[in-house]
Amino acid sequence: MSSDQQKTVETICPYCGVGCGITVQQGDQPGDVRFLPWGDAPVNEGRICIKGGAATEVVDHEDRLTDPLLREDGEFREATWEEAYEYVVSELERIREEYEPDAMGFFGSSKTMNEENYLLQKLARRYGTNNVDNCTRMCHASTVWALRTSLGAGAMTNSMADLREACDLFWIQGANPGEQHPIANSQYFRQAVLDGATVIQVDPHANKTTRSFGIDDTDRHQHLQLNPGTDIPLLNVVLKTILEHHEDHPEDGWIDEAFVAERTEGFDHLVKTLEEFDKAAAADECGLELEAIELVAEKYAEADNAAIFTGMGMSQHRCGVDNVQNEINLALITGNLGRPGTGVNPLRGQNNVQGTCDVGAMPNVLPGYQLVDDDEARERVEDVWGFEVPDEPGLTNVEISHRFGDTVHGLYVMGENPVMSEPDANRVVERIQDLEFLVVQDIFLTETAEYADVILPATTWAERDGTVTNTDRRVQRMRGVEKVHENTKHDLEILSEIGTRLFDGGDSGSTESRTVPVGGFAFDDPESVFEELREVCPIYHGMSYDALGTEGLHWPCYVPGDEGDPYLYAEEFDTESGLGHIEGVSHTPPAETPDDEYPLILTTARVEEHYNTGTMSRRSPTLERQVPENFVDIHPVDAERYGVEDGDEVTLRSRRGEIEVVAQVTEDTKEGVVWTTPHFAAASANRLTNDVLDDRAKIPEYKAAAAEIEVDLE
């Protein structure tokens, strides 16, 4: 390829869920892949964070998987694709025949595209199981549950653009957009703040969001640094303060009576739940002054347009559904839904975690969040697919993990790394070795792939086409350059081949004009998969590749020509009654609280420079230079008590394991609370985290565990 023939494509950053557009250029050699800004990209307008700018550094990394690998006598050897396909298909058939379809689990990936996750969940259901899930179980499953059941859709109610233009108050609880969604924070939220918006931040840890708006010392910024796991008591103080004020001063309009009467149900239940609620005791439990909470209640209630932003600090608790429900309660009683600048808005973590859920890669829903146990919805999908779908929800990924070697004997992993991402990771390592068969489809030899029986080398995000869906429901096209390594294959190509061999009686072939049989898998390209997805996913039905263009579309798009909705629920909620559901909730403390043996509270979060299990970011020289190893934040009072000095090597321990980390002595964390990250395999926080689950959403409680610390003495 000569210099004047270099291939340049406009695509989407592979890291967080903001959906920033970037340009990728491929030089004379396939591995010469470079980042360039996309000046008029619809979401980020050419601006990019440090991760996005470094994203191409891993495309031709020396660790790339380049050939299929089979395990023989405990070691991996290179294999042909034919050998790999035959082995995978024979093992899938053996497990189904020897046990039952539910003896297999399938893990989708929020780093892969809508079309690929759609095909994976379709393969699982054709196989005969609903045991298919993705990483949303680890981050926002409780948010999706609460939003879907109380409002109608498990996604941001509003778009970032309308929030920038119309929001007067940002209520940011358990989220850190300054660090985890930096372009959304700088391009949208900070712009609104510069125009006068107020920020209420609720988080146990001070962070870049705390400092990013430049209004720390004004009455337009208030940071409530609560104790981990006390979000419900705090919100109940806010709600009761609003109820009390309305009773005494109904003319002030802190409660939108008309909205509550016409568009909601359950208000009386909230009132009854809070009748005997003790605000002073709750504030004390939160570790906050009651007056500070009452002040933020006043600010939120008096704002013209108030928007709630929620993150994993709210969702990753055993009461995650209730946490988010209480945010919904606050928005509903004040009428802050159904118009620009308002709503309840989860900031989604990975670049396609929203889309992976949208297309049905979860055990309880089909594409478009249609419940698998809804007979009418299931039959509509079956009419397109041409095969029956199991009518009971399957297991979540953590539940699948808990049953390795028991009722689950095989696992198909596409682009996920459960050995690092799941809580109580030491036990995950033990259990995964009890599987009879593990296939991993990825770009690197991840910590999970090390235990695989067969590894299928995939192409990176920069080498293929498809669609992804960002945090505010914008479906966008990704476009790829040429393959960097000849013997790798696109995820879609691999799934199509395996599905065809399993169910269509042979390999997929390579004919130019191929008709996909009913229920089949022999698709030519991502667009043909998207066309079938549209038929079974109502919220995507009106979309097409041509309509998406370079701008993308916000779902729902129910009919062709629909331009999508930047904000939801203008007239009614998408619930059975058409009403928004209010439901009072009571405090559920973390499963582990401090005691004599483990007197500290451990909580976790990401840093800007790295991402999740670090599979890509730890291989980026730029990002690795910025933050080369894990650390733990400890309050100065605790540091003095333990004899810890800044920069000391310490052992951080919980009931499940221990890690060696560097101490950072800082007032960013509260006294009695230590804070660390999950990015580094050598010292991952998930060796310490608790795998207790929310009863409904089945999300683990990553955000609160009892811990202890000690100085490493040489």
Side-chain angles (χ1 to χ4, degrees), residues 89-296:
V89 170
S90 66
E91 282 295 283
L92 288 171
E93 290 175 335
R94 178 188 66 81
I95 288 172
R96 185 173 55 183
E97 292 169 6
E98 190 169 329
Y99 301 103
E100 59 181 355
D102 286 337
M104 275 297 299
F106 295 82
F107 287 0
S109 172
S110 296
K111 310 306 292 177
T112 61
M113 302 185 195
N114 288 325
E115 294 80 1
E116 295 154 354
N117 282 291
Y118 170 77
L119 211 57
L120 180 78
Q121 62 83 37
K122 181 183 175 185
L123 188 150
R125 281 149 176 153
R126 179 75 185 272
Y127 187 79
T129 184
N130 284 318
N131 289 350
V132 58
D133 208 359
N134 74 88
C135 78
T136 199
R137 193 66 47 194
M138 310 302 190
C139 53
H140 270 295
S142 47
T143 313
V144 172
W145 182 288
L147 288 171
R148 183 175 55 80
T149 55
S150 291
L151 302 180
M156 280 180 69
T157 59
N158 290 64
S159 70
M160 291 184 288
D162 85 57
L163 291 162
R164 175 176 60 188
E165 294 161 6
C167 185
D168 302 311
L169 182 141
F170 291 83
W171 182 289
I172 304 172
Q173 188 159 1
N176 179 11
E179 195 135 20
Q180 296 166 8
H181 303 84
I183 299 302
N185 194 68
S186 61
Q187 288 291 100
Y188 295 90
F189 310 152
R190 189 169 184 274
Q191 293 306 309
V193 171
L194 290 174
D195 290 338
T198 294
V199 177
I200 305 300
Q201 188 185 7
V202 184
D203 201 301
H205 193 267
N207 48 47
K208 289 185 180 178
T209 300
T210 314
R211 296 177 279 269
S212 66
F213 300 116
I215 54 172
D216 304 47
D217 299 324
T218 74
D219 61 2
R220 289 173 44 228
H221 183 273
Q222 197 170 343
H223 177 207
L224 299 182
Q225 198 166 7
L226 79 173
N227 292 326
T230 60
D231 298 279
I232 288 173
L234 183 139
L235 284 166
N236 277 343
V237 173
V238 172
L239 289 162
K240 185 156 187 176
T241 299
I242 292 172
L243 292 172
E244 289 173 339
H245 183 88
H246 184 76
E247 186 174 339
D248 295 336
H249 307 283
E251 70 281 358
D252 286 356
W254 281 22
I255 293 177
D256 189 330
E257 289 184 304
F259 187 91
V260 170
E262 297 169 10
R263 299 204 53 191
T264 75
E265 59 188 6
F267 181 76
D268 291 343
H269 184 271
L270 176 66
V271 172
K272 183 174 178 59
T273 300
L274 296 177
E275 276 179 353
E276 306 299 323
F277 179 73
D278 186 332
K279 293 200 303 180
D284 186 62
E285 188 167 21
C286 294
L288 298 168
E289 296 293 327
L290 176 59
E291 293 77 11
I293 307 176
E294 290 175 329
L295 179 58
V296 301

Side-chain angles (χ1 to χ4, degrees), residues 597-616:
E597 186 178 5
Y598 294 96
L600 300 170
I601 303 172
L602 167 68
T603 192
T604 66
R606 297 194 298 259
V607 297
E608 180 178 356
E609 295 80 6
H610 285 292
Y611 216 78
N612 290 356
T613 66
T615 300
M616 292 196 301

Side-chain angles (χ1 to χ4, degrees), residues 80-93 501:
T80 66
W81 276 102
E82 184 62 28
E83 286 181 288
Y85 283 140
E86 286 184 358
Y87 183 52
V88 171
V89 170
S90 66
E91 282 295 283
L92 288 171
E93 290 175 335
R501 288 171 180 248

Side-chain angles (χ1 to χ4, degrees), residues 471-626:
T471 192
D472 66 354
R473 297 172 284 104
R474 187 194 292 259
V475 182
Q476 299 184 93
R477 289 184 61 182
M478 291 187 75
R479 299 168 177 86
V481 295
E482 301 301 319
K483 282 202 301 186
V484 171
H485 296 287
E486 183 179 354
N487 205 30
T488 58
K489 293 184 183 291
H490 302 319
D491 289 292
L492 194 70
E493 184 180 0
I494 299 169
L495 292 169
S496 178
E497 186 69 33
I498 289 173
T500 299
R501 288 171 180 248
L502 268 174
F503 308 119
D504 297 347
D507 62 52
S508 61
S510 57
T511 55
E512 293 184 4
S513 58
R514 181 168 61 230
T515 302
V516 181
V518 173
F521 290 84
F523 293 92
D524 286 318
D525 52 35
E527 185 174 5
S528 62
V529 179
F530 191 85
E531 286 300 304
E532 182 179 287
L533 167 63
R534 293 175 53 209
E535 294 304 308
V536 295
C537 184
I539 58 177
Y540 283 33
H541 183 69
M543 298 181 185
S544 67
Y545 269 29
D546 286 344
L548 292 176
T550 58
E551 293 290 313
L553 290 169
H554 295 276
W555 66 255
C557 287
Y558 293 117
V559 295
D562 192 337
E563 296 183 356
D565 293 325
Y567 64 92
L568 304 176
Y569 316 127
E571 297 179 0
E572 66 176 4
F573 295 98
D574 194 16
T575 58
E576 187 173 344
S577 65
L579 302 175
H581 180 66
I582 298 170
E583 182 179 338
V585 296
S586 300
H587 180 42
T588 300
E592 284 188 350
T593 53
D595 56 20
D596 291 341
E597 186 178 5
Y598 294 96
L600 300 170
I601 303 172
L602 167 68
T603 192
T604 66
R606 297 194 298 259
V607 297
E608 180 178 356
E609 295 80 6
H610 285 292
Y611 216 78
N612 290 356
T613 66
T615 300
M616 292 196 301
S617 65
R618 284 185 290 111
R619 289 179 167 88
S620 163
T622 298
L623 303 178
E624 192 73 356
R625 281 194 300 270
Q626 295 292 317

